[in-house]
Amino acid sequence: MQTIDIYLKLDKCVKIKEKDVFLKDVATVYCSDDVMLAKARSIKVYTFKEEGPHRKCISSLNVIQMLSELSSAVSVQNVGEMDILVEYDAGKKANPFLQKLKIAMVALVSFFGTGFTIMAFHNDIGIEDLFSGIYEQVMGEPSGGLGVLEFSYSIGLAVGITLFFNHLGSKRLTVDPTPIEVEMKMYEDDINTALMEEEKRKGESMEVE
């Protein structure tokens, strides 16, 4: 009997709006046999029975077992994640006005919070006295107030922040991810890992009971 290879690439986190979760919703499946591929993609891996937002952690071993039951000739190769976190939420669509209001509030808090942080840092290190001292050492006379040092430093600070965050308005300066995007990705991975561990513990406690 000829072996039919099925290659499975499971996603780490998937959001769906239907209660029935099919394999095509949570994974990329490849098979040279079109008929077997269609059967594999249509496998129902889970069904949410409760209403409202819910999560379910699905093990790749369960998915592989379902695929193996299609035929004794099937050989499954998993090249993706070991577990899938499926989030079900068929709730109403978010209010566009509230979404924009949240974005505006976050932008304002970030802007003024960052400004306050920079001012507090400058106050702690006494940057005004530092600039006055440098000016007096170079020019041989006391500084008369705001000068070229303060002006150049302000421009350099703005340019440095722009280059660091890799954005000028809505335009990206380079193709590299910004520090915020990197941190958000790490935060998202940590959240998904924590949710998976929590779902696993719930499943184990239910089996014990």
Side-chain angles (χ1 to χ4, degrees), residues 1-4 6 33 36 39 43 64-76:
M1 182 182 296
Q2 185 177 2
T3 302
I4 302 176
I6 297 179
D33 189 316
M36 188 61 66
K39 291 181 179 180
I43 290 179
I64 292 174
Q65 181 181 359
M66 295 177 185
L67 288 171
S68 300
E69 292 174 354
L70 291 176
S71 172
S72 58
V74 167
S75 175
V76 184

Side-chain angles (χ1 to χ4, degrees), residues 22-159:
F22 296 94
L23 185 58
K24 63 181 180 180
D25 299 324
V26 298
T28 301
V29 187
Y30 173 77
C31 181
S32 57
D33 189 316
D34 294 337
V35 176
M36 188 61 66
L37 177 61
K39 291 181 179 180
R41 285 171 53 85
S42 61
I43 290 179
K44 186 187 296 185
V45 296
Y46 189 74
T47 299
F48 287 95
K49 298 179 180 179
E50 305 87 351
E51 297 293 337
H54 281 85
R55 298 186 183 94
K56 176 64 179 179
C57 184
I58 302 175
S59 172
S60 61
L61 295 179
N62 293 336
V63 177
I64 292 174
Q65 181 181 359
M66 295 177 185
L67 288 171
S68 300
E69 292 174 354
L70 291 176
S71 172
S72 58
V74 167
S75 175
V76 184
Q77 306 293 331
N78 181 25
V79 296
E81 301 289 339
M82 297 303 298
D83 298 295
I84 322 162
L85 182 65
V86 183
E87 297 185 32
Y88 165 69
D89 186 4
K92 297 180 180 180
K93 191 175 181 181
N95 190 322
F97 174 76
L98 292 178
Q99 290 293 100
K100 293 180 180 179
L101 182 60
K102 290 179 182 179
I103 294 174
M105 291 180 63
V106 171
L108 289 174
V109 171
S110 300
F111 177 80
F112 289 105
T114 303
F116 180 79
T117 302
I118 293 174
M119 290 187 293
F121 170 75
H122 289 165
N123 184 65
D124 287 342
I125 65 175
I127 196 169
E128 185 177 355
D129 296 334
L130 175 63
F131 284 158
S132 298
I134 294 175
Y135 184 88
E136 187 172 353
Q137 287 182 357
V138 175
M139 303 302 295
E141 59 182 16
S143 174
L146 298 179
V148 64
L149 281 177
E150 290 81 2
F151 184 73
S152 302
Y153 179 78
S154 300
I155 295 179
L157 183 63
V159 173

